[in-house]
Amino acid sequence: MSVSDNVKIDMTQELEKKPPPSESDGQALSDIIAPAEIIRIAWEGIIRNKVRSLLTMLGVIIGVAAVIIMIAISAGTEATIAEQIEGLGANLVFIQASFGRGGPGADQNSPQLVYEDTEIVAGVHGVVGTLVDQTTTQSVKANGSTLTDVPLVGTTPDFPSVREVDLADGRFFNETELDRTAKVAVLGADLAVDLFGETDPIGQSITVGTTKMTVIGVAAKRGVVGNTDFDAQMYVPITLVFDKFLPAQFARFVGDRVRIIYAQIDKEADMESVITQIELKLAAAKDVTVDELPFTIQTQNDIIETQGATTEAFRNLLAWVAGVSLIVGGIGIMNIMLVSVTERTREIGIRQSVGATPNDIRLQFLTEALMLSLVGGLIGVAAGVGGAIFFGAASDMRTVIVPGSILLAFGSAAAVGIFFGFFPANKAAQLDPIEALRHE
Amino acid sequence: MIKTPIIQTHALRKIYGMGDIQVKALAGVDVRIDEGEFVAIMGPSGSGKSTLMNILGCLDRPTDGRYILAGEDVSVLDKVQLAKIRNRRLGFVFQSFNLLSRTSALRNVMLPLVYKRDNKLTPAEREEKAMAVLEAVGLADRAHHEPMELSGGQRQRVAIARALVNDPVLLLADEPTGNLDSRSGEEIMGLLHDLHGRGRTIVMVTHEAYIAKQTERTINLRDGLIETIKANGNGGAK
Ligand SMILES: Nc1ncnc2c1ncn2[C@@H]1O[C@H](COP(=O)(O)OP(=O)(O)O)[C@@H](O)[C@H]1O
Ligand SMILES: [Mg+2]
């Protein structure tokens, strides 16, 4: 029996001109196997290599958690600042030495914002109250017990009305006591209990640093506003703070410098014109033009807005940092997927040998990358929300979880998975069945 | 009785290496195998047996020449079309089994059904069908075992079940008993005879003359060419 016997003679000449097989692996989208099956295959690929899958997800987990935590921290900071500024009282303007000019580090020749300016501000029509404060921390001895690091607020008699603090017992100090540097103190509600317990503190003597004082009042509970625990601090005349606790070197010549003067404006008055009046009076007192006056005068809204703008910039920066960490996470997925494709070359060959098309293989690995990043994203959301809550509870940082940040982080994780999964998936799809099967 | 050809090749050539060193793995092979035949391919190592099987199995494409599988010219098809042919019309059994590790025998057998695109089966139907084929190769009780938990002979039977599950027109086996001890090898041959007895067309590569003798015809390859084709005097040999 010869070879030719076995070959049919219908191999006509025309067949010799066969067209070259097309190299494209193009395939209609409708020509895919059941999506449920693709998901199942991808899922099996993931759980068959739990450790590797976890490592792959790690970058995404960290990235997503970072986005959520960072946005929560900056939103918390923003909320604290707004609350703090609003908590100062109502209808306030803030007179501050501009940084580097009248303020800290300014040369001695430029006008300074000093305690004595309070009176000038108070004299402006439409100003119903003024307030300066100067806070230090001191140790306080009373009744045989000693408390350290008690916030000591030196201020003026308008404090209770401007800052909306009521008196529970006794009274606040008055102008006379302020002028005479009287050694009198008003205690916050909790501080009074810490020092005296059940005993009535009014009229009792306490030692602040080395200065003996008499308690004349106890404030009603006000709670924590922003970063300030009103109930833990004590109030004394600001003159006493300048005299005993923060003696300034040049006070004799220029007066006692203050950082900020608060002025409460009549509700009926026009804010802008009152501010203009304050500027004119201060400029006159300092013997400079209004333009030369090195002070910044702002309303509460001005401050909230500028703070809002800076925290927003900060938040954007954090979002970018977090975004970069997500991309790093994506590169992690790509790396490990590439390793995975190499390690699983034989599996790919086996699938091809029973009929998997390049698209089937591509979809399998793409789905795997997407699922890894979605599962990583879910774990990251849990870690991020948990982390934000933990940070808020365990530190004095405040965190506010922004729902949008969860969507943003999760969405980016999915996008990253598809984007960085594409290259490895393509590599897998293009493997040649014979070479893939021969792979060890 | 007119025989229907399953395999017809014409001047099939496969040349490896594009540079200076070219290996002519197949140097022009013309072969015809009819429906229901059981054919062995023999030849020294490196004679092109696997190369021929891979082309017949649509895993590889010839450099030159034609291959008509059950009336369809598959030498002009692209990768996607070849994948579909492998899935619908061919069953391939390898020397090294090529089962998915850490995957049950049942799911291994189901694999070709997963990639089937016409008359798709539901998952339950797929499982049922795979189970039936596993039963036919005598492994129903091992369906949920992974390859690691099976003997070589059992693994090869799972691989044969996988090759059969889409009811192919042609079963190709490249040294299916090469990795098995002689007793398991006999078992596999028994199974192939059984399949042949029920009308399956089978082409098998083997090193062992006594195994080749059990088939109807033996094709001897040497240096990429058919050296001899001889009938073994069994069954319906020509
Ligand atoms: N991928 C390849 N690249 C280069 N040469 C190859 C490749 N595959 C096979 N060959 C060569 O082709 C010839 C035939 O190989 P093969 O078909 O595997 O032979 P057999 O299966 O008969 O032992 C051998 O010389 C072999 O070295
Ligand atoms: Mg071989």
Side-chain angles (χ1 to χ4, degrees):
Chain A
M1 190 167 298
S2 73
V3 172
S4 56
D5 282 348
N6 289 286
V7 180
K8 250 178 122 183
I9 318 296
D10 65 354
M11 299 277 187
T12 51
Q13 279 92 330
E14 136 192 46
L15 279 174
E16 299 297 326
K17 306 175 273 167
K18 68 163 182 178
S22 135
E23 278 308 319
S24 97
D25 60 15
Q27 207 178 341
L29 214 60
S30 58
D31 195 22
I32 58 167
I33 60 173
E37 211 50 52
I38 298 172
I39 289 169
R40 175 165 190 165
I41 293 169
W43 180 247
E44 283 173 351
I46 289 170
I47 56 170
R48 215 176 284 143
N49 294 286
K50 289 190 191 70
V51 175
R52 184 174 61 202
S53 300
L54 205 69
L55 284 175
T56 314
M57 289 188 293
L58 207 58
V60 172
I61 294 173
I62 292 172
V64 166
V67 170
I68 292 169
I69 292 175
M70 284 180 170
I71 290 179
I73 288 175
S74 71
T77 311
E78 217 167 307
T80 305
I81 289 168
E83 215 174 70
Q84 224 167 355
I85 294 165
E86 273 154 10
L88 290 174
N91 271 344
L92 294 184
V93 300
F94 303 80
I95 303 150
Q96 274 173 286
S98 308
F99 185 77
R101 296 223 280 151
D107 74 79
Q108 295 299 325
N109 299 327
S110 67
Q112 309 283 313
L113 189 65
V114 293
Y115 168 60
E116 287 74 15
D117 294 332
T118 315
E119 271 176 45
I120 297 165
V121 174
V124 172
H125 185 72
V127 173
V128 295
T130 57
L131 177 80
V132 286
D133 59 23
Q134 197 61 265
T135 303
T136 76
T137 55
Q138 295 293 331
S139 65
V140 178
K141 250 184 279 179
N143 236 2
S145 63
T146 302
L147 293 178
T148 54
D149 295 329
V150 176
L152 175 75
V153 182
T155 185
T156 49
D158 284 340
F159 186 92
S161 72
V162 177
R163 301 298 299 270
E164 294 164 348
V165 173
D166 292 331
L167 270 279
D169 203 0
R171 60 178 182 83
F172 212 74
F173 51 82
N174 55 35
E175 289 293 338
T176 322
E177 284 161 327
L178 178 71
D179 290 346
R180 290 191 188 154
T181 322
K183 292 169 180 160
V184 291
V186 175
L187 305 180
D190 294 341
L191 182 63
V193 173
D194 289 346
L195 288 173
F196 294 102
E198 296 292 290
T199 321
D200 181 11
I202 306 294
Q204 300 280 350
S205 173
I206 58 175
T207 308
V208 180
T210 55
T211 308
K212 257 192 156 49
M213 306 183 184
T214 308
V215 177
I216 58 166
V218 175
K221 274 218 174 262
R222 171 83 199 273
V224 180
V225 180
N227 284 333
T228 308
D229 183 357
F230 277 85
D231 301 331
Q233 53 192 14
M234 58 183 293
Y235 310 100
V236 299
I238 192 166
T239 46
L240 187 60
V241 171
F242 291 139
D243 196 33
K244 298 288 182 193
F245 301 106
L246 292 171
Q249 237 180 321
F250 302 102
R252 253 179 304 149
F253 311 112
V254 298
D256 288 297
R257 265 198 231 162
V258 290
R259 199 174 52 81
I260 187 161
I261 295 175
Y262 306 86
Q264 192 165 34
I265 311 298
D266 190 350
K267 276 199 269 304
E268 311 295 316
D270 174 37
M271 223 20 134
E272 288 305 311
S273 68
V274 175
I275 289 174
T276 311
Q277 284 302 312
I278 294 172
E279 280 174 336
L280 284 171
K281 287 249 169 111
L282 281 175
K286 306 281 175 189
D287 210 14
V288 294
T289 67
V290 170
D291 286 341
E292 287 167 343
L293 194 69
F295 303 153
T296 312
I297 305 184
Q298 287 175 298
T299 66
Q300 265 160 312
N301 284 342
D302 293 338
I303 293 184
I304 291 173
E305 268 165 37
T306 46
Q307 289 288 2
T310 48
T311 49
E312 198 184 316
F314 177 62
R315 186 197 288 202
N316 285 341
L317 179 75
L318 289 183
W320 277 108
V321 170
V324 167
S325 68
L326 258 178
I327 289 175
V328 172
I331 293 171
I333 288 194
M334 182 164 73
N335 261 326
I336 301 185
M337 289 295 292
L338 281 172
V339 173
S340 171
V341 167
T342 307
E343 272 179 14
R344 289 160 65 186
T345 298
R346 203 181 173 90
E347 172 197 329
I348 295 165
I350 291 171
R351 291 182 183 278
Q352 287 175 324
S353 76
V354 299
T357 64
N359 251 359
D360 291 337
I361 302 294
R362 186 179 293 121
L363 263 178
Q364 172 186 342
F365 281 88
L366 209 51
T367 308
E368 223 172 275
L370 179 64
M371 282 172 73
L372 280 173
S373 60
L374 286 183
V375 174
L378 272 181
I379 299 174
V381 165
V385 169
I389 292 171
F390 175 79
F391 273 129
S395 72
D396 45 13
M397 248 187 297
R398 178 161 155 195
T399 53
V400 173
I401 292 156
V402 182
S405 71
I406 295 176
L407 279 179
L408 172 82
F410 199 65
S412 331
V416 155
I418 293 182
F419 184 81
F420 288 102
F422 202 79
F423 178 56
N426 245 4
K427 194 183 158 197
Q430 277 158 9
L431 285 174
D432 179 73
I434 288 298
E435 274 163 35
L437 282 170
R438 214 176 272 142
H439 193 266
E440 272 319 300
Chain B
M1 183 183 150
I2 299 159
K3 298 223 168 102
T4 319
I6 294 292
I7 294 172
Q8 288 168 281
T9 72
H10 178 63
L12 218 49
R13 299 194 318 139
K14 181 73 184 181
I15 297 165
Y16 287 112
M18 291 293 121
D20 300 335
I21 314 151
Q22 289 199 337
V23 180
K24 259 194 196 168
L26 293 179
V29 171
D30 295 321
V31 70
R32 170 179 167 165
I33 293 167
D34 289 331
E35 189 174 9
E37 272 198 280
F38 190 0
V39 176
I41 296 178
M42 289 195 75
S45 182
S47 56
K49 303 183 296 293
S50 292
T51 305
L52 178 61
M53 288 297 274
N54 291 340
I55 291 170
L56 295 182
C58 289
L59 288 164
D60 206 354
R61 283 189 292 209
T63 311
D64 227 313
R66 324 217 47 155
Y67 171 25
I68 315 271
L69 172 67
E72 184 179 0
D73 189 348
V74 295
S75 39
V76 295
L77 301 183
D78 65 22
K79 282 181 179 181
V80 176
Q81 292 165 320
L82 286 178
K84 291 177 183 175
I85 295 286
R86 290 196 294 273
N87 182 255
R88 281 204 313 263
R89 323 210 59 155
L90 296 168
F92 208 111
V93 177
F94 303 89
Q95 180 176 0
S96 53
F97 321 128
N98 277 332
L99 298 176
L100 289 184
S101 59
R102 280 184 272 175
T103 303
S104 72
L106 184 63
R107 289 204 62 79
N108 264 293
V109 176
M110 284 165 72
L111 202 59
L113 298 173
V114 167
Y115 293 110
K116 185 167 142 77
R117 280 150 216 282
D118 50 343
N119 306 319
K120 288 183 186 171
L121 304 178
T122 65
E125 289 168 339
R126 286 202 286 264
E127 194 166 328
E128 201 179 317
K129 185 156 183 197
M131 200 65 203
V133 183
L134 266 180
E135 210 171 314
V137 301
L139 276 181
D141 57 332
R142 292 284 183 276
H144 299 286
H145 287 62
E146 294 179 1
M148 286 286 281
E149 303 160 339
L150 300 174
S151 73
Q154 287 172 328
R155 287 181 209 183
Q156 198 58 299
R157 278 193 277 165
V158 173
I160 291 171
R162 180 180 66 188
L164 292 174
V165 76
N166 262 339
D167 196 20
V169 296
L170 174 64
L171 182 66
L172 297 159
D174 192 351
E175 299 191 44
T177 60
N179 277 13
L180 301 177
D181 57 68
S182 57
R183 208 176 61 86
S184 303
E186 283 303 327
E187 260 176 47
I188 295 301
M189 282 312 294
L191 181 55
L192 292 179
H193 280 302
D194 193 30
L195 293 168
H196 173 235
R198 279 186 260 153
R200 191 71 63 183
T201 313
I202 303 172
V203 178
M204 178 185 75
V205 171
T206 182
H207 271 311
E208 315 278 0
Y210 80 96
I211 286 178
K213 268 200 212 102
Q214 302 175 20
T215 68
E216 295 170 330
R217 283 198 294 160
T218 302
I219 298 174
N220 268 293
L221 284 186
R222 183 176 293 275
D223 298 332
L225 284 169
I226 292 179
E227 194 182 38
T228 59
I229 297 182
K230 59 172 185 288
N232 296 321
N234 304 316
K238 295 190 178 182

